[in-house]
Amino acid sequence: MDYNLHKLRAEEISLLIREKRRTVQEVYEYFQKRIAKFNSTLNAVVRSIALDKFSPPNSLLAGVPIIIKDNICIKEVEITCASKILKGFISPYDAGVIKRLKKNSLIPLAIANMDEFAFGSSCETSCYGPARNPWDKNKVPGGSSGGSAAAVAAGFAPLALGSDTGGSIRQPASFCGVVGFKPTYGRVSRFGLVAFGSSLDQIGPLCRDIRDCAAVLEIISGYDENDSTSVEKPANFRDYLKEDIKGVRIGIPKEYFTEGVDKEVEKVLGEALKVLKSRGAVIEEMSLPHTEYAVPVYYIVASSEASSNLSRFDGVRYGLRQNTQTLTKLYTYTRAQGFGREAKRRILLGTFSLSSGYYDAYYLKALKARTLIKQEFEKVFQYYDVIISPTSPTTAFALGEKINDPLKMYLSDVFTIPANLAGIPAASIPCGFDKKGLPVGMQIIGPAFGEGKIINIAFSYQSVTNWHNMYPADYEGN
Amino acid sequence: MKEIEVVIGLEVHVQLATATKMFCRCPNLFGQPPNTLICPVCMGLPGSLPVVNAKAVELGIKAALALNCHINREIIFERKNYFYPDLPKGYQISQYALPLAEEGFIEIEGKKIRIRRAHLEEDAGKLIHSSLGSGVDFNRAGVPLLEIVTEPDVHSPQQAYDYLTQLKTIMQYVGVSSCDMEKGFLRCDANISLPRKGEKLGVKTEVKNMNSFRGVKDALSYEIERQSEIIQKGGRIIQETRLWDEARRKTFSMRSKEEAHDYRYFPEPDLVKYTFTEEEIEKLRNSLPEMPQVKYERFKKQYKIEESLLKALVEEKNLADFFESSLRYYPQPKSVANWILGPLREIMNIKRIENIENIALSPDNFTKVVRMFDEKKLNNIATKKLLSLILENNENAAVVAEKNNLLQISNAADLEAWVEEAVRTNPKPVNDYLSGKKNALMFLVGVVMRKSSGQANPTVVKDLLVRRIKDEKSN
């Protein structure tokens, strides 16, 4: 029997392999073929990974190909963060998540395009050129994990990993009509994730179906001795794949429904909430008054950390190096050549915020505001199970539309940033389309280590809707 | 002209003798081929993360406790940002707010040198310059350091020297570091200013690049001279960093205050807060060995030996330990102390063994040698020779002495022939002696010693010679 493997769930593909109806090799080649056929338009992946030795099928997702964002280290694979400064860097080690994937016999298939060092919301700052949205190739796929989202939406693989510092998994998932999940800070090891904002970064999955998402999360969650900020907590996420959401309290923050939100997005989300209500959820409007500070706080904290994190790219040990006569020139020429405009902007912003004389007014103040935002969430989660909002104020925007207006670009993360500042889990779930036929995402935010609550609601919603099964027409067939 | 004071503050970096580095599991070893002790973490590869070495924290606490510091119950690490090729990440993980320890002191001859803070940080790599160009050895990158900063309580180069000596002794006692300055296990920078009497601190210069305790003393003496000359000429001291040039015996300006770095410290987000309980700290405090000051007082009471010997013994914990172990086999403190501090150390120097820990000779076997000397079975030269023979193999002292004919010959009958020959073949010294030149006798003793290959007991020989010459005269 012939299967359209790209229309199957990851678990179903793994079952075919474990029942020996397909070999790992066949599945790998099937998806590589799709990449070969479609990637020239989408530019969603930037390089393929050769099929390596793999552990014998031993897990629910054994043998399933997975696409990895270009900022997660895989042993003996070139990892560049879509930056010229890292071109040619071959990682000598596996990230914590990659070790876990390999141990569970998942197959790293290809490296996904992204915004340079994850700085961006459109995938346009990539040194490989922009990735495109499978629903409309003139639109951006979102960012920074735009390549991962576009690849899953176009059926390059059933699963992808992205990273989320201020919405970098959820916003592209929303733009591409797939599920994207940012776990609680500390849930997933950051070891081997090239750092952007160390206190904000989390790796998470992108896929079509919340069931696959729960399965991947179970595999990648847990304490890693190489990451001091990681923690061990129960990760029985599949237990939450239940339809019942009767009495579940959902808060709708009024600050997330401002004039900046596209009317159609608001409408689509309203429909989705009706579905949840019909299933028994209790939906209430509520308030998160500190929301307006999230974006400025984020851009100080994230850029400060980034400015320090990017210092190691100096041309001395690896990556790009401009050979010059003096040490100062080695640094300045290498970094001037190697970093793109947005990376430079963030380095300058962060360096400024941390400088003596400005530290108290910017960085320190931002930390205090961050604590307030965190406390605000803790407070509302004493009452609400989850909070729901649009993932992004708009659907996918056009290529080039915001690239020269950083402020406008930053605002496309206005709803996703608070969860990173608070360190709490949040997912984007496909919940419909606007009139242009572009996907809309529903963001579900949960309390710290409350991934299960998000999964429960997402599964309940998915069980009576079909958005997660929609395919962009050009990529539906083989 | 008002009188000028000298105000010095010292910043010492001590490498902690852990098995592995501060934030990764690479071995902490000296003298390995370049870049053989490295991993993604200490090389600052993309994606790598630090993990605190609990052993380093423990050693740091023990050191700080020994320096009478208060240990903060909650500490954080921070990033100190600057660019240099030996700094892999472009920042050093160090401490700024909430350091490991604060408010300690070292007492030197009744005067307290206050310690402002002691904090943990990682070392950088090392630049290597050769004809081929410059390279970086990252073996040292990430090695744990304890930075110990004094208040400006030091008032002379000699006091700085004494502080360092005492600090080294304490660190060695705690087992935190060997403090070998030549290997860079201890590094010292100094801040020095010459305020006029009544003025608070004056404008300071920071002096770096001293490679020995003596170098610190010399560099500070030079700075005092340089600064006072400027002040006396009515000039101004510039706040700057200066490098000590050991060969030229001068300091040179490295950078001025304006060129100083803005390190942009901020809390290291890759590490979590570290907290200690009262019990943990008490446990470490109780694990500390007897400190040098206390040991000195105890030795003084217990052993009743010269102060200079006591001081020398206590200065190195291993010497003191060897001394006390030896006394268990041969309870003669004076003899044992003299032989350890004199000949034994001399032989170690010749053999280039720095630490008594590294000799094979056991205290038991060592005291056999001392006892043989005290019992006049060995003369001075033979004793040293015997020590030298067994220092690195710990072979049985008695057996080796016998085998190498080192035992002293005190029996008159065995010496008679040599004495007879010496008198017969050296008529002039004999006559000299007879005519009152007593020194001539020592020449004849020397002749007998040579003939006996050093084995003759010189005291006995002397007696025999005197008697023999008297006989000669009466004949």
Side-chain angles (χ1 to χ4, degrees):
Chain A
M1 199 178 143
D2 201 24
Y3 292 99
N4 270 332
L5 289 180
H6 64 283
K7 291 198 145 182
L8 298 183
R9 284 193 294 122
E11 280 183 61
E12 292 167 340
I13 294 170
S14 181
L15 199 64
L16 288 177
I17 292 167
R18 281 177 286 139
E19 287 179 348
K20 302 205 189 313
R21 288 146 74 192
R22 283 284 183 286
T23 65
V24 170
Q25 179 93 25
E26 282 165 353
V27 171
Y28 171 86
E29 279 166 5
Y30 176 92
F31 285 105
Q32 286 293 6
K33 226 177 184 172
R34 284 186 64 82
I35 292 174
K37 183 169 173 196
F38 295 119
N39 193 53
S40 54
T41 324
L42 292 179
N43 198 27
V45 305
V46 294
R47 81 193 70 87
S48 278
I49 302 169
L51 183 59
D52 202 0
K53 293 186 301 270
F54 47 87
S55 320
N58 57 2
S59 80
L60 205 63
L61 297 181
V64 176
I66 182 163
I67 285 170
I68 309 292
K69 191 175 178 180
D70 195 20
N71 61 353
I72 299 172
C73 289
I74 307 176
K75 195 172 176 175
E76 281 155 30
V77 172
E78 185 184 356
I79 299 298
T80 72
C81 298
S83 178
K84 267 204 292 193
I85 209 160
L86 263 178
K87 274 215 169 148
F89 171 74
I90 311 288
S91 174
Y93 73 103
D94 276 331
V97 288
I98 300 296
K99 273 188 231 161
R100 283 173 179 268
L101 292 179
K102 286 183 175 174
K103 214 175 114 199
N104 285 277
S105 347
L106 279 94
I107 310 295
L109 180 75
I111 300 294
N113 202 355
M114 60 184 280
D115 280 296
E116 184 183 10
F117 284 107
F119 300 147
S121 310
S122 68
C123 232
E124 291 168 291
T125 65
S126 166
C127 74
Y128 302 106
R132 287 161 187 273
N133 193 317
W135 294 92
D136 178 347
K137 64 178 179 3
N138 296 314
K139 297 283 193 283
V140 301
S144 67
S145 309
S148 301
V152 169
F156 288 5
L159 306 170
L161 285 188
S163 67
D164 191 314
T165 308
S168 279
I169 289 174
R170 290 160 287 158
Q171 185 254 24
S174 161
F175 281 15
C176 293
V178 299
V179 175
F181 207 115
K182 180 201 96 74
T184 309
Y185 186 79
R187 177 71 94 172
V188 177
S189 166
R190 291 184 297 114
F191 184 70
L193 167 67
V194 183
F196 159 11
S198 311
S199 72
L200 302 153
D201 297 340
Q202 269 292 286
I203 293 172
L206 296 102
C207 48
R208 309 188 71 84
D209 191 297
I210 193 68
R211 285 171 287 182
D212 284 347
C213 185
V216 180
L217 272 177
E218 283 191 12
I219 287 172
I220 63 175
S221 293
Y223 173 72
D224 178 352
E225 59 174 9
N226 293 316
D227 176 2
S228 312
T229 63
S230 67
V231 292
E232 190 64 48
K233 292 266 181 182
N236 52 331
F237 301 125
R238 282 174 300 140
D239 295 349
Y240 292 88
L241 295 169
K242 291 180 193 145
E243 289 195 36
D244 181 17
I245 53 168
K246 221 166 258 146
V248 166
R249 281 190 291 230
I250 298 174
I252 310 295
K254 60 173 189 240
E255 290 80 3
Y256 285 51
F257 292 85
T258 54
E259 55 215 79
V261 180
D262 188 289
K263 286 291 157 234
E264 283 183 58
V265 168
E266 206 174 317
K267 202 177 126 217
V268 168
L269 195 80
E271 294 299 320
L273 291 174
K274 274 184 204 158
V275 173
L276 293 174
K277 201 172 171 186
S278 74
R279 308 221 75 192
V282 181
I283 295 168
E284 286 173 26
E285 197 188 86
M286 41 79 79
S287 175
L288 290 167
H290 288 109
T291 301
E292 61 172 311
Y293 302 110
V295 171
V297 164
Y298 171 82
Y299 275 93
I300 288 171
V301 173
S303 304
S304 295
E305 292 179 4
S307 70
S308 173
N309 284 331
L310 266 57
S311 296
R312 65 186 62 193
F313 307 111
D314 57 6
V316 174
R317 285 146 299 128
Y318 48 78
L320 182 76
R321 177 200 191 103
Q322 294 287 315
N323 278 311
T324 55
Q325 289 304 308
T326 70
L327 190 56
T328 310
K329 281 183 177 167
L330 167 71
Y331 288 141
T332 51
Y333 288 20
T334 299
R335 289 166 68 84
Q337 280 280 317
F339 289 130
R341 282 175 63 91
E342 187 59 27
K344 285 173 190 158
R345 190 182 345 260
R346 309 256 181 144
I347 291 169
L348 287 172
L349 195 59
T351 304
F352 179 81
S353 304
L354 290 174
S355 294
S356 89
Y358 299 98
Y359 181 89
D360 290 0
Y362 293 95
Y363 184 75
L364 207 59
K365 201 159 202 173
L367 283 194
K368 287 177 184 163
R370 182 180 182 181
T371 305
L372 290 179
I373 290 167
K374 198 175 170 198
Q375 287 168 346
E376 186 167 280
F377 275 109
E378 280 166 9
K379 216 171 109 199
V380 301
F381 280 125
Q382 287 174 3
Y383 181 77
Y384 295 102
D385 291 297
V386 297
I387 290 162
I388 288 184
S389 77
T391 304
S392 187
T394 66
T395 55
F397 45 85
L399 264 97
E401 189 181 325
K402 299 187 179 177
I403 193 69
N404 292 318
D405 188 346
L407 268 184
K408 226 169 166 184
M409 186 75 90
Y410 295 174
L411 284 172
S412 96
D413 294 330
V414 61
F415 300 149
T416 46
I417 280 171
N420 298 81
L421 290 173
I424 53 181
S428 179
I429 309 295
C431 68
F433 293 85
D434 68 3
K435 279 189 197 148
K436 289 171 277 185
L438 293 171
V440 174
M442 165 167 67
Q443 177 175 234
I444 312 173
I445 306 172
F449 300 101
E451 282 86 350
K453 291 186 174 183
I454 299 172
I455 289 167
N456 177 209
I457 289 163
F459 181 70
S460 181
Y461 178 76
Q462 174 186 295
S463 305
V464 291
T465 55
N466 200 34
W467 309 116
H468 62 290
N469 286 326
M470 307 288 265
Y471 243 99
D474 294 347
Y475 306 93
E476 190 155 12
N478 267 318
Chain B
M1 184 92 209
K2 285 189 198 165
E3 210 180 317
I4 287 169
E5 274 189 302
V6 174
V7 176
I8 298 167
L10 298 171
E11 282 180 26
V12 173
H13 287 86
V14 173
Q15 262 193 28
L16 301 176
T18 49
T20 57
K21 293 185 182 181
M22 183 76 218
F23 297 113
C24 64
R25 300 295 84 92
C26 287
N28 172 12
L29 284 174
F30 179 81
Q32 300 298 305
N35 297 317
T36 53
L37 309 173
I38 54 172
C39 74
V41 177
C42 57
M43 282 295 281
L45 292 197
S48 63
L49 296 173
V51 175
V52 174
N53 179 350
K55 193 75 199 170
V57 177
E58 193 183 303
L59 283 186
I61 292 177
K62 285 172 82 170
L65 286 172
L67 297 173
N68 308 297
C69 286
H70 165 77
I71 307 296
N72 283 324
R73 295 301 184 262
E74 186 178 285
I75 66 167
I76 58 167
F77 289 93
E78 305 209 30
R79 291 187 184 177
K80 179 180 180 178
N81 295 282
Y82 65 96
F83 285 101
Y84 206 64
D86 66 4
L87 191 69
K89 299 185 291 295
Y91 56 84
Q92 178 194 31
I93 306 178
S94 178
Q95 293 193 277
Y96 192 63
L98 300 181
L100 182 70
E102 292 174 276
E103 296 176 346
F105 64 87
I106 283 182
E107 205 173 298
I108 295 161
E109 285 164 8
K111 194 188 173 302
K112 275 182 186 170
I113 309 287
R114 288 172 300 157
I115 289 162
R116 181 180 298 168
R117 54 187 274 139
H119 72 244
L120 292 163
E121 61 185 29
E122 57 177 340
D123 210 341
K126 215 174 162 178
L127 294 190
I128 297 171
H129 304 285
S130 74
S131 54
L132 299 167
S134 295
V136 194
D137 175 10
F138 289 100
N139 283 352
R140 206 180 67 180
V143 163
L145 297 176
L146 187 69
E147 181 176 332
I148 302 159
V149 184
T150 71
E151 296 288 350
D153 284 356
V154 179
H155 294 292
S156 72
Q158 180 60 41
Q159 215 175 22
Y161 184 91
D162 293 343
Y163 168 83
L164 291 172
T165 309
Q166 183 69 2
L167 179 68
K168 177 178 174 174
T169 302
I170 294 171
M171 292 299 117
Q172 287 175 340
Y173 263 67
V174 183
V176 155
S177 175
S178 67
C179 292
D180 193 333
M181 223 170 156
E182 269 172 37
K183 289 179 181 162
F185 294 170
L186 185 150
R187 277 162 264 159
C188 177
D189 302 334
N191 286 299
I192 176 164
S193 69
L194 270 56
R196 290 164 193 210
K197 258 221 161 100
E199 231 178 23
K200 259 204 171 150
L201 291 172
V203 179
K204 65 178 182 183
T205 58
E206 186 184 17
V207 194
K208 288 173 173 283
N209 199 39
M210 291 83 84
N211 302 317
S212 64
F213 290 2
R214 160 108 359 224
V216 174
K217 195 172 154 181
D218 293 347
L220 287 172
S221 299
Y222 174 82
E223 268 301 291
I224 292 174
E225 220 173 284
R226 187 186 72 84
Q227 290 190 19
S228 54
E229 205 169 298
I230 293 173
I231 293 169
Q232 266 151 28
K233 283 183 187 159
R236 271 175 178 281
I237 306 297
I238 309 163
Q239 185 170 340
E240 61 183 349
T241 301
R242 299 180 68 86
L243 291 184
W244 170 245
D245 185 328
E246 180 75 46
R248 289 197 273 176
R249 314 201 59 71
K250 279 181 174 167
T251 63
F252 293 91
S253 180
M254 182 174 126
R255 60 170 175 253
S256 72
K257 188 190 174 190
E258 286 70 34
E259 298 164 278
H261 297 295
D262 176 0
Y263 290 119
R264 305 192 307 280
Y265 281 97
F266 75 103
E268 164 60 289
D270 289 331
L271 294 171
V272 291
K273 246 180 214 163
Y274 227 82
T275 55
F276 312 109
T277 63
E278 215 60 45
E279 294 75 52
E280 284 169 321
I281 293 185
E282 278 320 297
K283 207 176 139 198
L284 289 173
R285 195 192 299 278
N286 293 331
S287 76
L288 289 178
E290 185 183 33
M291 284 294 124
Q293 207 88 28
V294 181
K295 196 184 280 286
Y296 177 82
E297 294 302 329
R298 178 171 66 80
F299 274 22
K300 204 159 134 186
K301 258 194 234 143
Q302 212 169 327
Y303 302 126
K304 306 200 170 26
I305 49 177
E306 271 172 66
E307 218 155 283
S308 64
L309 291 181
L310 275 183
K311 254 190 185 161
L313 279 176
V314 170
E315 197 173 293
E316 267 185 60
K317 180 170 180 291
N318 291 331
L319 279 186
D321 288 348
F322 194 86
F323 169 70
E324 289 212 289
S325 303
S326 298
L327 290 186
R328 269 188 276 144
Y329 301 99
Y330 185 54
Q332 296 294 328
K334 199 166 173 204
S335 222
V336 169
N338 271 319
W339 277 98
I340 290 175
L341 294 168
L344 187 62
R345 271 224 294 213
E346 199 177 295
I347 293 162
M348 279 168 55
N349 274 343
I350 292 165
K351 294 184 185 275
R352 295 185 182 282
I353 303 173
E354 276 173 38
N355 199 318
I356 199 161
E357 215 179 31
N358 299 330
I359 64 170
L361 182 63
S362 68
D364 176 14
N365 209 14
F366 167 70
T367 51
K368 279 184 191 149
V369 178
V370 180
R371 191 193 289 265
M372 279 194 273
F373 174 81
D374 284 352
E375 290 172 353
K376 304 210 163 33
K377 287 181 186 155
L378 293 172
N379 64 32
N380 201 303
I381 293 166
T383 311
K384 286 181 186 171
K385 193 166 175 199
L386 178 57
L387 280 176
S388 173
L389 284 169
I390 62 177
L391 189 79
E392 287 167 296
N393 55 33
N394 197 31
E395 280 174 30
N396 186 297
V399 174
V400 174
E402 180 79 56
K403 205 167 69 187
N404 291 277
N405 299 323
L406 295 175
L407 290 173
Q408 194 157 252
I409 301 168
S410 304
N411 188 343
D414 296 336
L415 297 170
E416 215 57 76
W418 285 318
V419 169
E420 179 62 32
E421 197 187 342
V423 171
R424 263 199 292 110
T425 52
N426 295 284
K428 187 168 180 296
V430 172
N431 283 331
D432 286 351
Y433 178 73
L434 285 173
S435 59
K437 289 182 185 161
K438 297 291 177 209
N439 277 345
L441 188 65
M442 288 328 287
F443 174 82
L444 294 168
V445 172
V447 171
V448 176
M449 292 308 290
R450 270 196 299 281
K451 295 214 177 289
S452 72
S453 317
Q455 269 187 285
N457 180 335
T459 319
V460 179
V461 168
K462 215 164 131 189
D463 288 349
L464 288 174
L465 278 168
V466 171
R467 224 179 305 149
R468 173 67 181 78
I469 293 169
K470 268 186 196 151
D471 288 354
E472 175 105 2
K473 192 184 169 194
S474 56
N475 279 346

